């Protein structure tokens, strides 16, 4: 199975010292897996991280997990879609604020709790925000939707979305990772959720130990359900993400997975 950003991150020193040229260990792990960066650029590799070196190299050579080429193509296509749009007219439907800088229109958007400026050909982050090359894909995807559908308030599972069968396996793998990580650590999960702006909610009919909703983008709510392990009953911990029924009018299936990965990086990092 492919080595993920989270697996690399877990084995890094996680001191965010910046000696590798990235602001954080998470950003470095993302570069290693998604952009083919050399793991040894971190001069403080632990023995276990160094042990990953060969496997990471083999994965990079096989092109697994790398996103650079598809990223460039997708970004070009999405920016071409966004170029003719009237940002001022779209702002309200996207939950954004319209602005201009030297005649260049932009939208200010709340994204994972910080405010980004999205120009037609540039993303501008506030100081200290964690940048990932795939943020642009997600945000242009969101803007290209033009915010035409209202959020319904009805939660649905990813695998009930049209054409999601193959990608649903990826989401199930992410959910498994999250459940295993927080098994027996419900209090820690609650703490992490609060730090990441998750609102504890109660959804009728759900008996999960933890229920938290997030708003990573203004019109894209995400609900996390978590059931802790019950060893006596042989029940392993479970995690499940739900989305608003309108989600695919704002993001495509791939972008939804990226959103979940991003959320998990913040909860588990
Ligand atoms: S040099 Fe290593 S420890 Fe420091 S931020 Fe980069 S990955 Fe993290």
């Amino acid at each position: 199975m492919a080595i993920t950003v989270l697996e690399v991150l877990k084995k890094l020193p996680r001191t965010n010292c910046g000696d590798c040229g990235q602001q954080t260990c998470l950003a470095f792990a993302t570069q290693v897996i998604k952009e083919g960066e050399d793991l040894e650029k971190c001069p403080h590799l632990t023995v276990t991280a160094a042990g990953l070196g060969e496997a990471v190299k083999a994965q990079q050579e096989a092109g697994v997990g790398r996103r650079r080429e598809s990223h460039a193509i997708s970004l070009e296509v999405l920016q071409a879609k966004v170029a003719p749009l009237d940002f001022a007219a779209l702002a309200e439907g996207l939950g954004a604020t319209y602005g201009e800088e030297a005649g260049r229109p932009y939208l200010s958007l709340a994204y994972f709790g910080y405010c980004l400026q999205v120009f037609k050909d540039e993303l501008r982050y506030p100081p200290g925000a964690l940048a990932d090359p795939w943020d642009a894909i997600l945000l242009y995807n969101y803007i290209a939707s033009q915010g035409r559908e209202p959020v319904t308030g009805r939660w649905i599972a990813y695998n009930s979305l049209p054409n999601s069968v193959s990608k649903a396996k990826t989401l199930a793998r992410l959910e498994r990772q999250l459940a295993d990580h927080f098994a027996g650590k419900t209090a820690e999960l609650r703490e992490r959720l609060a730090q990441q702006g998750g609102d504890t909610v109660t959804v009728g009919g759900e008996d999960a130990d933890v229920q938290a909703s997030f708003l990573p983008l203004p019109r894209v709510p995400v609900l996390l359900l978590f059931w802790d392990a019950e060893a006596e009953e042989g029940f392993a911990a479970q995690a499940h993400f739900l989305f608003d029924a309108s989600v695919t009018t704002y993001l495509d299936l791939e972008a939804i997975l990226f959103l979940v990965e991003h959320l998990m990086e913040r909860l588990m990092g």
Side-chain angles (χ1 to χ4, degrees), residues 149-244:
E149 297 287 330
V151 173
T152 66
R154 191 162 57 82
W155 296 111
I156 58 166
Y158 188 83
N159 61 9
S160 68
L161 299 170
N163 307 316
S164 63
V165 178
S166 59
K167 291 191 170 61
K169 288 182 194 147
T170 305
L171 182 67
R173 183 172 52 75
L174 294 171
E175 290 172 335
R176 180 78 267 133
Q177 263 180 345
L178 187 82
D180 290 347
H181 184 89
F182 286 108
K185 296 190 272 186
T186 303
E188 187 186 330
L189 174 60
R190 287 209 175 95
E191 206 175 297
R192 290 297 184 116
L193 290 168
Q195 284 165 1
Q196 295 302 323
D199 283 328
T200 305
V201 290
T202 305
V203 176
E206 297 292 353
D207 60 352
D209 296 318
V210 178
Q211 303 185 22
S213 69
F214 293 88
L215 208 51
L217 279 164
R219 301 286 187 255
V220 185
V222 177
L223 179 68
L224 170 65
L225 303 175
F226 175 80
W227 294 261
D228 205 353
E230 287 180 25
E232 283 167 16
E233 301 193 21
F235 179 75
Q238 307 286 327
H240 199 31
F241 286 100
L242 296 178
F243 306 90
D244 188 83

Side-chain angles (χ1 to χ4, degrees), residues 12-20 22 24-25 28 41-44:
L12 291 172
R14 292 155 81 179
T15 54
N16 300 331
C17 69
D19 291 347
C20 55
Q22 297 294 325
T24 63
C25 296
F28 179 68
K41 276 210 177 155
C42 168
H44 313 292

